[in-house]
Amino acid sequence: MGCSSSLPDRNTGRLGASLEDSASADSKNLRAKLVLLGDSGVGKSCIVLRFVRGQFDPTSKVTVGASFLSQTIALQDSTTVKFEIWDTAGQERYAALAPLYYRGAAVAVVVYDITVPESFNKAQYWVKELQKHGSPGIVMALVGNKADLHESRKVSVQDGVDYAEKNGMFFIETSAKTADNINQLFEEIAKRLPRTS
Amino acid sequence: MDSADDAGPNSVFPSSVQPDQQNPSVSERIDDRLKRVSLVDTDALPGDAPPPAPHAIDVDSHAGVNGVLDARSGSEGNDKREEDGGEAPGDVLLPQLVGAEHAFEVTRSSSDAGLRDNFEIEVEEPSSPSSSGYAGERGSSNATTSTGIEEVGEDEIVEADAADSSVWTPGKRHVDEDDGSISWRKRKKHFFVLSHSGKPIYSRYGDEHRLAGFSATLQAIISFVQNGGDRVNFVRAGNHQVVFLVKGPIYLVCISCTEEPYEALKGQLELLYGQMLLILTRSVNRCFERNPKFDMTPLLGGTDAVFSSLIHSFSWNPATFLHAYTCLPLAYPTRQAAGAILQDVADSGVLFAILMCRHKVISLVGAQKSSLHPDDMLLLANFVLSSESFRTSESFSPICLPRYNPMAFLYAYVHYLDVDTYLVLLTTSSDSFYHLKDCRIRIETVLLKSNVLSEVQKSVLDGGLHVDDLPVDSSTSGSLSPHLGQDRSIPGSPDRSLSGIGGPGGLWHFIYRSIYLDQYVSSDFSSPINSPKQQKRLYRAYQKLYASMHSRETGPYKTQFRRDENSVLLCWITQDFELYAAFDPLADKALAIKICNRVCQWVRDIENEIFLLGASPFSW
């Protein structure tokens, strides 16, 4: 891809020492590095901004490199999970950079747009890439976004469910626009995080 | 008050300013020239200039290509002829340019037939000579309005927006157009990037993929000349100029009828290429080595706003042709406080720490022996400001500084501290995000504690230098010079009664560029340069002045005085600075010179506040 040769080497791409390994901290207060991957324009940033700030901005803002945000949620069993979220750019030129962001991640959220079949193919590419190079035991979620646009749906729910099942992923359809299933997505992820105790 | 005394050599070029102070006779000569020229002014009629040759191709070099006309036979030839004609042996300056520039501007309202071809600049009236595409234009002056379609202003929408809110929104427009659309062919300024195989990479207007045929044509022109062992620099067709820039496998082309000088347009193409390198590095060339038909457009996905914003800055940001940066005016201790904390983080492994407010620098620091080129700063600021996503949260992104190292990526941590103020920390290491984040937290804490951020906001509200604030009594300068944002309410002093609208002596606007600091300061626009259109015209006039002052063929010059219907322009270049000033068209020359000296004195008096001093030395 493009100019991958000048991008960081896969083996050196590691973001910071402070996130030693995936989920950490004590058993009551978890911390998890989460990375969002997917084609450009599927709504990764919108999902994150809906989750972190409760906002939705319909004007599209192309992410550059990757944005970093964090959000803490409390679960019913009185544990808290602090998500440190890497919202990566979907543009092709940043693809070679992805290892920099997903390396050491405890969670990967792979997003596609239910109205764009190509984005579903791209999602499968990312799943394969994560299976090869992601952290062992990484929690993976497959997310079909823009569920509010059901009248222009091109990727069936069943296709999503089947692919997720085959690859041991958790599947959900969301709408960052209507906020549908956004919190459920992150709560479900939090429940699936390995507890160290 | 204007008199021969005021214009005497000593007061015009005080020895403290004069780089040739060892040689006072030069200043006398300069003054002499200026005086002599004033007599010539009124005779320099626009009609003197012959109509330009309709077509001229300039081919760079020795290997003369048959059938190629001289580079300068277009309207630029007028300038040259004027300059050559009036040159006295041994003289350093050429104020006789007065007449030549006059020719361009005056045609706006005069109906001098011989010059109609040159005429356009900002005008969107049906009097433009021809209406078809480039090929059809033969520069015939009676072809006016044959189709009844007017030239479409290059920034038409921008100006409409600007009238409302003076906010310009970046992003590509008119994507539905292609080279078959009349509206597309009417646009005043096109930029194209294509690959050496003729594949479109970027177009300012229209969809790249629909312009494949047009790109192939451009590629054919370039490679035809290349096959002859030569290089095409520009083609002139009617009032259109086609400027080419070849950068390895990437070709850049500008097609313009804005009458900007070739040097200016070429500089703009260089910046466009630099912006592309900032996003991809020069290693993108390898993709073309592997596959000559490589399609580069996907690699630039989502960057339209970056390029359109850069192209927009070609018509308002002096940094694009001055190759210098400008600072936000701040009290000296405030800037020092910002610099100190930036220096602190630079010592901890950050390559460059840059604190900016919109396009202006608050402070910047580089690690030892690292220096930042003003062009890189321009491209970096444009990239950050035009990428909306940086405003939402902190980001970490690979970025290449083409003047620093065009082959490698640096990693940029970008964070907005408030709506206008942002911090960019650059590093060579891809895994230092958390370190940079910690640095940012430290910097932000210090800036808040020392009130730097509130001072920055205050400065933004106060604005920059105002020509009205120019101290009028030179004897008090240094002790009583007004500080920024103060003394505005002091009523006009005696001198002001001499002036029309604007500052003393009819001064409208100025740009002062410090050569050794690589910084410039530009006064705020004020009455009568109010509308975006007037501002753009003045900007273009400065740009032209800059090109003629620095021209390799005819320059470099030390001073230039031009009078036309719109304004008087005065440029003065010494070893230390360059001053560009615009006056009322009726301004008195001797007084204008005197005012320029005051501007220089004023700038020196407040240099602590308007420039970043003591920054790490720039070396390249």
Side-chain angles (χ1 to χ4, degrees):
Chain A
M1 217 149 301
C3 35
S4 55
S5 46
S6 54
L7 289 170
D9 188 279
R10 234 155 248 257
N11 301 319
T12 61
R14 204 186 145 109
L15 274 171
S18 57
L19 272 193
E20 292 81 38
D21 292 298
S22 36
S24 58
D26 57 84
S27 56
K28 281 287 177 191
N29 300 295
L30 296 169
R31 220 162 61 146
K33 175 176 170 182
L34 181 152
V35 62
L36 279 104
L37 296 165
D39 210 353
S40 60
V42 297
K44 297 181 291 300
S45 301
C46 289
I47 291 173
V48 176
L49 289 177
R50 174 59 86 181
F51 171 58
V52 174
R53 304 204 181 134
Q55 297 166 345
F56 178 75
D57 183 351
T59 62
S60 76
K61 292 175 181 171
V62 185
T63 304
V64 178
S67 299
F68 180 84
L69 297 99
S70 61
Q71 172 74 308
T72 305
I73 59 171
L75 298 179
Q76 280 172 339
D77 63 359
S78 79
T79 55
T80 64
V81 178
K82 183 181 184 191
F83 286 111
E84 299 191 323
I85 304 168
W86 280 102
D87 172 23
T88 65
Q91 306 293 339
E92 188 181 322
R93 66 178 166 281
Y94 296 114
L97 199 69
L100 186 63
Y101 303 109
Y102 69 62
R103 196 155 290 265
V107 187
V109 176
V110 179
V111 187
Y112 66 91
D113 177 345
I114 63 156
T115 69
V116 181
E118 295 76 31
S119 71
F120 187 57
N121 296 338
K122 194 67 189 256
Q124 299 177 17
Y125 160 84
W126 282 120
V127 171
K128 284 181 199 124
E129 165 113 5
L130 287 165
Q131 285 166 346
K132 263 189 267 172
H133 303 289
S135 334
I138 188 170
V139 175
M140 288 203 282
L142 182 66
V143 176
N145 193 34
K146 307 196 188 177
D148 54 296
L149 301 176
H150 45 80
E151 67 282 0
S152 21
R153 173 190 290 277
K154 297 275 165 49
V155 182
S156 72
V157 181
Q158 199 53 49
D159 285 352
V161 170
D162 289 350
Y163 185 80
E165 216 164 76
K166 246 194 316 193
N167 292 279
M169 301 170 78
F170 152 64
F171 175 78
I172 195 168
E173 286 199 348
T174 59
S175 166
K177 188 175 179 181
T178 63
D180 212 29
N181 274 346
I182 297 291
N183 286 338
Q184 286 84 335
L185 164 67
F186 288 91
E187 279 162 20
E188 193 56 42
I189 289 168
K191 284 186 210 154
R192 285 161 187 256
L193 284 174
R195 303 292 202 268
T196 49
S197 55
Chain B
M1 96 152 270
D2 151 46
S3 71
D5 292 344
D6 289 327
N10 293 328
S11 69
V12 173
F13 298 103
S15 59
S16 59
V17 191
Q18 179 53 258
D20 304 304
Q21 47 187 294
Q22 317 87 317
N23 181 7
S25 71
V26 172
S27 55
E28 273 170 282
R29 253 192 292 146
I30 288 171
D31 188 62
D32 244 31
R33 288 305 293 256
L34 292 174
K35 268 191 225 159
R36 259 189 286 143
V37 168
S38 66
L39 298 172
V40 181
D41 279 350
T42 46
D43 296 326
L45 292 176
D48 293 348
H55 296 277
I57 300 182
D58 177 40
V59 176
D60 160 286
S61 101
H62 13 205
V65 165
N66 288 339
V68 170
L69 300 179
D70 176 54
R72 299 287 163 168
S73 56
S75 56
E76 295 187 31
N78 299 344
D79 278 341
K80 196 186 179 193
R81 221 162 296 140
E82 295 275 340
E83 290 154 15
D84 291 344
E87 190 166 3
D91 249 327
V92 274
L93 59 145
L94 289 166
Q96 12 338 35
L97 275 177
V98 172
E101 178 66 7
H102 202 172
F104 285 111
E105 308 290 336
V106 161
T107 42
R108 240 206 102 163
S109 58
S110 85
S111 55
D112 187 333
L115 280 163
R116 216 168 280 163
D117 292 348
N118 279 345
F119 149 70
E120 45 41 23
I121 305 197
E122 308 297 321
V123 199
E124 283 143 59
E125 287 155 14
S127 42
S128 55
S130 152
S131 53
S132 60
Y134 315 107
E137 291 197 7
R138 299 287 157 185
S140 155
S141 58
N142 49 19
T144 28
T145 66
S146 51
T147 65
I149 298 164
E150 302 175 15
E151 285 283 346
V152 180
E154 55 165 320
D155 289 323
E156 184 183 51
I157 293 172
V158 173
E159 297 194 352
D161 284 347
D164 287 347
S165 54
S166 65
V167 172
W168 178 86
T169 14
K172 186 143 178 168
R173 299 185 178 80
H174 316 294
V175 273
D176 51 326
E177 295 178 357
D178 58 33
D179 55 332
S181 331
I182 288 171
S183 56
W184 185 88
R185 299 168 82 96
K186 298 275 105 193
R187 307 234 167 257
K188 280 189 172 179
K189 201 168 171 187
H190 284 275
F191 284 93
F192 305 96
V193 183
L194 51 136
S195 75
H196 62 164
S197 67
K199 275 216 165 68
I201 295 171
Y202 172 80
S203 168
R204 182 185 190 191
Y205 299 113
D207 179 74
E208 286 83 9
H209 296 287
R210 288 166 63 179
L211 293 169
F214 190 79
S215 281
T217 311
L218 293 174
Q219 188 268 339
I221 295 171
I222 296 167
S223 60
F224 178 78
V225 181
Q226 267 178 349
N227 290 342
D230 215 324
R231 189 174 69 188
V232 57
N233 282 344
F234 74 84
V235 175
R236 186 173 274 281
N239 57 4
H240 280 94
Q241 198 173 183
V242 188
V243 178
F244 299 88
L245 181 66
V246 173
K247 293 286 188 184
I250 295 172
Y251 297 169
L252 300 101
V253 182
C254 173
I255 302 179
S256 154
C257 62
T258 56
E259 283 297 341
E260 287 165 86
Y262 162 72
E263 293 77 10
L265 296 173
K266 183 163 178 267
Q268 293 169 10
L269 290 177
E270 292 274 2
L271 285 172
L272 200 62
Y273 180 66
Q275 191 75 76
M276 198 164 282
L277 293 186
L278 183 134
I279 296 165
L280 294 174
T281 77
R282 203 192 282 155
S283 57
V284 73
N285 289 1
R286 287 185 208 145
C287 301
F288 291 100
E289 283 162 22
R290 269 181 249 130
N291 172 17
K293 294 193 170 166
F294 177 71
D295 180 7
M296 210 175 116
T297 43
L299 281 186
L300 289 172
T303 56
D304 277 338
V306 178
F307 291 106
S308 67
S309 154
L310 178 71
I311 291 169
H312 179 56
S313 74
F314 295 155
S315 59
W316 71 264
N317 189 347
T320 59
F321 66 88
L322 287 177
H323 306 291
Y325 65 96
T326 193
C327 289
L328 184 78
L330 280 176
Y332 184 69
T334 307
R335 202 185 309 280
Q336 286 289 98
I341 180 64
L342 293 185
Q343 186 63 59
D344 217 29
V345 306
D347 294 339
S348 77
V350 175
L351 187 61
F352 294 113
I354 310 162
L355 183 63
M356 295 193 69
C357 179
R358 295 178 198 168
H359 293 270
K360 299 186 175 183
V361 170
I362 295 166
S363 189
L364 74 93
V365 162
Q368 271 191 328
K369 292 187 181 171
S370 305
S371 63
L372 203 48
H373 192 282
D375 284 356
D376 280 348
M377 293 172 62
L378 169 79
L379 297 172
L380 180 61
N382 180 64
F383 184 73
V384 172
L385 288 167
S386 59
S387 308
E388 279 293 310
S389 79
F390 285 126
R391 294 174 185 275
T392 26
S393 56
E394 53 195 326
S395 304
F396 190 63
S397 172
I399 266 173
C400 162
L401 295 180
R403 297 282 197 146
Y404 182 73
N405 181 354
M407 294 308 292
F409 276 118
L410 297 174
Y411 294 86
Y413 172 94
V414 182
H415 184 71
Y416 272 84
L417 303 176
D418 63 38
V419 68
D420 293 319
T421 313
Y422 55 96
L423 177 71
V424 181
L425 301 175
L426 293 164
T427 170
T428 51
S429 120
S430 62
D431 59 2
S432 49
F433 171 80
Y434 291 100
H435 173 60
L436 299 182
K437 185 178 163 72
D438 290 342
C439 289
R440 186 268 298 172
I441 293 168
R442 268 169 62 207
I443 292 170
E444 194 168 14
T445 311
V446 170
L447 294 179
L448 283 169
K449 246 189 233 163
S450 51
N451 287 326
V452 172
L453 291 179
S454 53
E455 288 296 317
V456 164
Q457 278 158 5
K458 192 168 160 282
S459 173
V460 170
L461 290 175
D462 287 349
L465 300 184
H466 270 263
V467 289
D468 317 349
D469 294 338
L470 180 67
V472 282
D473 188 349
S474 49
S475 65
T476 61
S477 70
S479 52
L480 282 177
S481 70
H483 283 245
L484 295 163
Q486 297 170 11
D487 301 325
R488 274 274 153 80
S489 52
I490 289 179
S493 52
D495 252 21
R496 199 167 292 188
S497 58
L498 276 180
S499 62
I501 328 169
L507 176 66
W508 281 352
H509 187 263
F510 68 86
I511 298 176
Y512 177 102
R513 176 182 189 271
S514 163
I515 289 168
Y516 77 100
L517 290 176
D518 268 305
Q519 296 172 45
Y520 74 92
V521 64
S522 167
S523 67
D524 281 0
F525 286 113
S526 56
S527 172
I529 312 280
N530 289 322
S531 72
K533 203 165 173 170
Q534 286 167 309
Q535 291 167 9
K536 194 157 119 187
R537 180 164 55 215
L538 178 58
Y539 172 86
R540 290 259 164 90
Y542 280 145
Q543 194 182 36
K544 200 174 244 177
L545 193 58
Y546 179 91
S548 75
M549 291 296 284
H550 294 268
S551 158
R552 281 208 199 103
E553 287 179 42
T554 55
Y557 303 133
K558 289 195 173 175
T559 56
Q560 196 172 137
F561 183 92
R562 294 182 173 216
R563 189 191 298 274
D564 68 30
E565 179 185 78
N566 294 304
S567 61
V568 161
L569 292 178
L570 206 155
C571 181
W572 179 20
I573 298 184
T574 73
Q575 286 172 334
D576 302 322
F577 65 84
E578 299 184 0
L579 178 73
Y580 301 82
F583 290 84
D584 185 290
L586 300 176
D588 175 78
K589 183 172 293 163
L591 183 58
I593 290 167
K594 192 179 166 198
I595 294 293
C596 283
N597 279 301
R598 283 201 194 140
V599 168
C600 293
Q601 186 58 48
W602 185 34
V603 166
R604 273 188 295 272
D605 288 344
I606 57 173
E607 63 177 4
N608 271 346
E609 298 169 35
I610 53 178
F611 292 133
L612 172 63
L613 303 174
S616 60
F618 290 75
S619 52
W620 54 82

